[in-house]
Amino acid sequence: AWQDFSQDYQDILFHKADGIAKITINRPQVRNAFRPLTVKEMIHALNEARYDDQIGVIILTGQGDLAFCSGGDQKVRGDSGYQDESGVHHLNVLDFQRQIRTCPKPVVAMVAGYAVGGGHVLHMMADLTIAAENAQFGQTGPKVGSFDGGWGASYMARIVGQKKAREIWFLCRMYNAQEALEMGLVNTVVPLEQLELETVQWCKEMLQNSPMALRCLKAALNADCDGQAGLQELAGNATMLFYMTEEGQEGRNAFNEKRPPNFEKFGRNP
Ligand code: 2NE
């Protein structure tokens, strides 16, 4: 049974249960398109889930069966970004993409219906995607005067290959769940009525495994694509592991006790 933490949010729902947090874009009237507020709230909720030590896995999804997310809300698109309540233009979904990428806990996209445009990029940013049989995937940027040349292009090419990535972006076709599975864009396809059950099952399997191992593997897989930012993330985990050792703690203790450190007993592994 999900515990409901949605009261602090307008555009999203936020639930938690048994080690799993679920962030749901709740704008079904626009196929779960995001506006700056939606993204701001998703950033807040993901941060909350990251820092909750009871949470090990995070699901990202959209309300209803028709769409996971249809990308940026074109109705509030201004001349230099998506307009918030005070008239400021944003592309803050790029911040959210980075946050999904660097979140040390697995993020799972649960997709029913359309995952399109910036919504398609969000499912790609997730570590895993569980798709319902009615899911439809595609980019629309070149049709609506937009594009995502960041992970939206380069990470897509790592997933589906250069030729297919160019096809997806240049032609702006839609692909069904089976086609997405064949391209490696999603991890599995299930009947719509089993979507949440199956997603939760995948989450539970991950929750049984070592959080540190998953954390380091995510950082390692990121580092392969993310240059110095990826190495920083991976190396941060190495520092964390070192802080957890007696050897690392001897350095801290010696400093605080105003004595020279004694690393002799720790040996040197071949
Ligand atoms: C998603 C899709 C394919 C669904 O089609 P369909 O036929 O199922 O629904 P319909 O009738 O098109 O949409 C239902 C309502 O949702 C609104 C529509 O305007 C419609 O509203 P009303 O006319 O009834 O008032 N709606 C749907 N998507 C919306 C959106 N993104 N913004 C605002 N309203 C939206 C079909 O609706 C579709 O193709 N949607 C547009 C997809 C799209 O082009 N998204 C933007 C891509 S650019 C982007 O996301 C981006 C980026 O490239 C870079 C950085 C940041 C963002």
Side-chain angles (χ1 to χ4, degrees), residues 104-180:
K105 300 172 180 178
V107 177
V108 182
M110 180 167 85
V111 178
Y114 287 103
V116 171
H120 186 258
V121 178
L122 286 183
H123 106 82
M124 284 198 297
M125 295 310 300
D127 298 289
L128 301 172
T129 298
I130 313 296
E133 281 169 348
N134 76 336
Q136 294 277 338
F137 299 87
Q139 298 297 157
T140 60
K143 277 191 191 210
V144 297
S146 182
F147 65 91
D148 184 336
W151 277 297
S154 59
Y155 186 43
M156 179 194 282
R158 297 272 183 142
I159 297 171
V160 302
Q162 283 279 348
K163 291 278 182 187
K164 204 72 193 176
R166 286 163 206 243
E167 173 190 315
I168 292 171
W169 273 107
F170 293 180
L171 279 71
C172 296
R173 287 184 183 167
M174 290 290 143
Y175 301 86
N176 66 31
Q178 197 53 41
E179 290 167 326

Side-chain angles (χ1 to χ4, degrees), residues 22-39:
K22 182 172 66 162
I23 300 170
T24 306
I25 305 174
N26 188 23
R27 306 188 75 222
Q29 70 282 7
V30 285
R31 300 292 187 267
N32 295 318
F34 53 78
R35 55 180 176 173
L37 178 67
T38 325
V39 175

